[in-house]
Amino acid sequence: MRAVAVIPARMAASRFPGKPLATLLGAPMVEHVYRRAAMCRELDAVYVATCDTDIQTIVEGFGGHVIMTAASHMRASDRTAEAARMLDAEIIVMIQGDEPMILPTMIVDAMAPLLESQSVGCANLVKRITRRQEYEDPNTIKVVRNLRGDAMYFSRAPIPAVAFDDVASLPVFKQVCVIPFRRDFLLEYATLPSTPLEQQESIDMLRILEHGGRVRLVETDVDTHAVDTPDDLAIVEARMGARGYP
């Protein structure tokens, strides 16, 4: 199966304007995401989908590929879907531009359910939460899964409601934004009306669940940290430096 990665990025992030071009270990954050995705041998190509010429200039400057999209998109998945219409691929892996700590193995793991079963249209990487701060942080998207391994709900609230000391026996997960879609599923997603919970929580995946769709969850052991704020950038830079990220 032909698979490509699309990294949606825009300058107008509400919590951290200009975030994709924030400097991280001497390079723009979007470059870290792009180069680590490009290390994945199972991907045939990597693209940045953006509406901003500033991002376009930087990405093309380090040799990356850009697809220009409309400025009207409020959801990363809708921007990715516009880019997908221009791509010849069966699997589109959406990798958020604020996930600079991703590793190629995470992309491979996330794609596995789509390669194993035609019935899976979308998968989502998740990681167990082990720190109370992440559990209570509204910028960390929590996920509850059912016994089949599919998502039941995504929320910025601390769910499921457990005494945090019990997380070992009742795992609590956070979303890691490495999200493979079957291309046809993604294009259909973009035609669906936006939904009340999607808008209230500001979480793309809820549009799928509210319309009766399924999102298969894939657990990763890799401990990453998304960049939602300038404080997150400092945390991620320290962790990447300590772990010897290139």
Side-chain angles (χ1 to χ4, degrees):
M1 268 188 200
R2 179 172 166 80
V4 304
V6 174
I7 303 165
R10 61 177 184 144
M11 296 294 284
S14 58
R15 292 182 295 273
F16 190 173
K19 179 170 64 173
L21 301 187
T23 301
L24 183 63
L25 296 178
M29 183 161 60
V30 69
E31 182 174 357
H32 283 276
V33 180
Y34 188 100
R35 291 193 182 280
R36 263 175 271 288
M39 291 167 63
C40 180
R41 295 181 179 180
E42 281 72 12
L43 292 175
D44 295 286
V46 180
Y47 299 88
V48 173
T50 186
C51 58
D52 294 296
T53 56
D54 288 349
I55 294 175
Q56 178 188 24
T57 298
I58 292 296
V59 173
E60 291 180 343
F62 65 70
H65 302 292
V66 177
I67 297 175
M68 297 302 291
T69 56
S72 56
H73 297 303
M74 298 303 293
R75 296 278 177 262
S77 299
D78 288 318
R79 188 177 306 281
T80 301
E82 182 182 347
R85 294 188 187 98
M86 310 176 202
L87 298 172
D88 178 20
E90 294 173 79
I91 294 176
I92 307 293
V93 184
M94 182 175 76
I95 304 173
Q96 289 280 40
D98 58 6
E99 292 277 6
M101 297 183 72
I102 64 163
L103 298 175
T105 54
M106 298 167 67
I107 300 170
V108 175
D109 291 345
M111 287 195 297
L114 279 74
L115 299 175
E116 293 167 1
S117 174
Q118 286 289 328
S119 68
V120 179
C122 177
N124 212 158
L125 212 58
V126 296
K127 170 72 172 65
R128 291 193 184 207
I129 293 176
T130 57
R131 293 182 288 271
R132 184 184 296 272
Q133 182 180 2
E134 279 190 318
Y135 178 62
E136 296 175 349
D137 185 352
N139 290 323
T140 299
I141 296 174
K142 275 68 70 174
V143 191
V144 176
R145 70 179 181 184
N146 64 22
L147 296 178
R148 295 191 304 271
D150 294 330
M152 295 174 64
Y153 193 65
F154 294 78
S155 182
R156 297 183 182 277
I159 59 170
V162 297
F164 196 75
D165 293 340
D166 294 335
V167 296
S169 58
L170 182 61
V172 176
F173 295 98
K174 68 176 180 179
Q175 180 190 46
V176 179
C177 288
V178 178
I179 306 174
F181 292 89
R182 220 169 280 284
R183 181 177 180 273
D184 291 346
F185 186 97
L186 177 59
L187 297 184
E188 181 182 358
Y189 165 95
T191 68
L192 297 173
S194 183
T195 53
L197 291 173
E198 171 201 355
Q199 295 175 33
Q200 181 65 34
E201 295 265 21
S202 189
I203 299 173
D204 299 35
M205 296 296 99
L206 288 175
R207 188 187 307 178
I208 297 173
L209 299 187
E210 288 185 84
H211 282 286
R214 293 187 302 146
V215 177
R216 178 63 47 83
L217 301 182
V218 180
E219 185 175 353
T220 179
D221 291 329
V222 181
D223 189 16
T224 61
H225 190 96
V227 176
D228 291 298
T229 67
D231 288 343
D232 289 326
L233 187 70
I235 292 170
V236 167
E237 186 163 53
R239 292 185 184 180
M240 291 175 68
R243 297 180 191 179
Y245 276 66

